[in-house]
Amino acid sequence: MRLIRISTLRKCGVVAASTALAVTGLLAGAGTASAGPAGATNIRGVDPGDTDRMIERLCSQETSLTGVYGALNVDTGEFKTQDEYLRDVFGLWKPAGPWELFRGWCGYAEASTWSVKGDTVRTSRWIGNKGSADDKETFVSSYSTKTFAKKSVGGSISLSLAKSIFSGTVGGSAGYEWGWEKESKFETRSEKSIPPCRQVAVTWTPYQRVVRVNPVFHVEDYQWDKGDGDRTVHSWRDRGYRTVYSHGYYIDGISDKLLPSGQPDGREDKVEEKLDPKSCIQ
């Protein structure tokens, strides 16, 4: 599995660090963490609160020169960004009570990939035959490849973020034709038979590739104060692993597949519908 970094993470050290940290930690909490994409450790179901939403909100922040910041209430599971913490909890960036603070970098680790059939679309106009015998017509069919992305948590993903994650060579070395942002079109002409009192059209079912990434967080500093002064460590909750993710938060990039020729890969079909008998020659 590879870690995909976006250009805004100028000082991100996730790739080198996380591949060396495929650690499965035994926790005193509600479960056992497990290593996932790029060696990141899954904290979903282990740490309190909605960790999917926490990672989504943490990594959706604008990245500063020193990283992104977050605060976790380990009693309630509530998460706050740095601005929210300074406004709502404590006017200084210092841990207070059950609030633990962390700073680090976000990246995007490729988790899995698979092929699917896309939605079937009509690619020609309907042509009807209101006569009493078969007719033949020339159908002009056209199609342009599609590319999009979606998140499992939070709102829609921005086009700029999707491009930064999935553009370039992502998927290119994984043994499949990845058509992300490689627009391809076709236009075909074919003669087809139209039965009496029927209308006919041409459809296209694209074959698509899905690439799923898990946003991951690489810890630089982690702080807490249990009443005996601040303590700063350099792993998630001092458990020995520096890169974490939440399994239920992922981003899927979906793109039509391309043939070696560069043409869209898919299946063309002829479809027909009945016409109103009253409009046809009896």
Side-chain angles (χ1 to χ4, degrees):
M1 299 294 181
R2 292 170 295 121
L3 186 75
I4 306 159
R5 291 177 296 172
I6 60 178
S7 58
T8 55
L9 305 186
R10 291 179 289 273
K11 298 174 67 178
C12 181
V14 182
V15 175
S18 62
T19 52
L21 287 166
V23 178
T24 300
L26 296 180
L27 307 181
T32 301
S34 57
T41 301
N42 180 26
I43 58 173
R44 191 174 197 243
V46 176
D47 282 313
D50 184 347
T51 55
D52 293 345
R53 181 64 172 154
M54 179 183 76
I55 295 295
E56 191 271 337
R57 294 192 62 218
L58 176 66
C59 293
S60 293
Q61 298 177 89
E62 184 73 23
T63 305
S64 71
L65 290 175
T66 53
V68 294
Y69 295 76
L72 174 65
N73 186 314
V74 296
D75 287 348
T76 66
E78 184 180 5
F79 168 81
K80 289 185 181 293
T81 63
Q82 184 181 44
D83 288 344
E84 291 168 344
Y85 182 83
L86 294 174
R87 181 193 67 204
D88 301 336
V89 181
F90 195 29
L92 299 174
W93 188 243
K94 292 174 62 67
W99 288 96
E100 299 182 354
L101 311 183
F102 39 93
R103 174 184 70 89
W105 307 92
C106 290
Y108 298 88
E110 186 177 324
S112 57
T113 178
W114 64 93
S115 295
V116 296
K117 286 184 180 179
D119 295 334
T120 298
V121 295
R122 181 166 57 85
T123 54
S124 79
R125 65 184 182 92
W126 289 101
I127 301 180
N129 175 13
K130 296 183 178 182
S132 58
D134 284 0
D135 188 15
K136 286 189 176 180
E137 293 284 348
T138 298
F139 287 78
V140 178
S141 176
S142 60
Y143 180 78
S144 179
T145 53
K146 306 295 189 296
T147 293
F148 58 99
K150 59 184 181 180
K151 296 162 58 177
S152 65
V153 173
S156 59
I157 182 172
S158 70
L159 180 60
S160 60
L161 177 56
K163 285 182 176 181
S164 64
I165 295 172
F166 296 107
S167 294
T169 59
V170 175
S173 61
Y176 52 80
E177 293 295 333
W178 174 243
W180 185 268
E181 284 206 306
K182 297 177 182 178
E183 185 181 23
S184 181
K185 300 179 180 179
F186 70 73
E187 182 174 289
T188 62
R189 294 174 179 268
S190 57
E191 189 176 69
K192 300 187 184 300
S193 176
I194 308 175
C197 211
R198 296 286 194 276
Q199 63 176 0
V200 167
V202 176
T203 64
W204 178 259
T205 303
Y207 298 152
Q208 297 177 327
R209 172 65 59 173
V210 181
V211 175
R212 174 165 293 179
V213 299
N214 283 118
V216 300
F217 176 67
H218 178 73
V219 180
E220 290 290 342
D221 302 309
Y222 195 102
Q223 299 175 279
W224 68 84
D225 185 349
K226 302 303 182 185
D228 53 358
D230 291 0
R231 184 180 176 191
T232 301
V233 296
H234 304 288
S235 65
W236 183 256
R237 305 197 68 189
D238 200 24
R239 291 171 178 159
Y241 40 83
R242 295 191 65 179
T243 307
V244 298
Y245 79 110
S246 187
H247 181 72
Y249 174 40
Y250 52 82
I251 300 171
D252 287 345
I254 302 100
S255 177
D256 288 2
K257 295 172 68 176
L258 302 178
L259 297 169
S261 65
Q263 292 297 303
D265 191 7
R267 189 189 74 232
E268 182 182 276
D269 291 296
K270 168 187 169 182
V271 293
E272 62 179 64
E273 292 181 351
K274 292 181 180 181
L275 293 176
D276 182 353
K278 296 178 181 178
S279 68
C280 300
I281 298 175
Q282 300 299 316

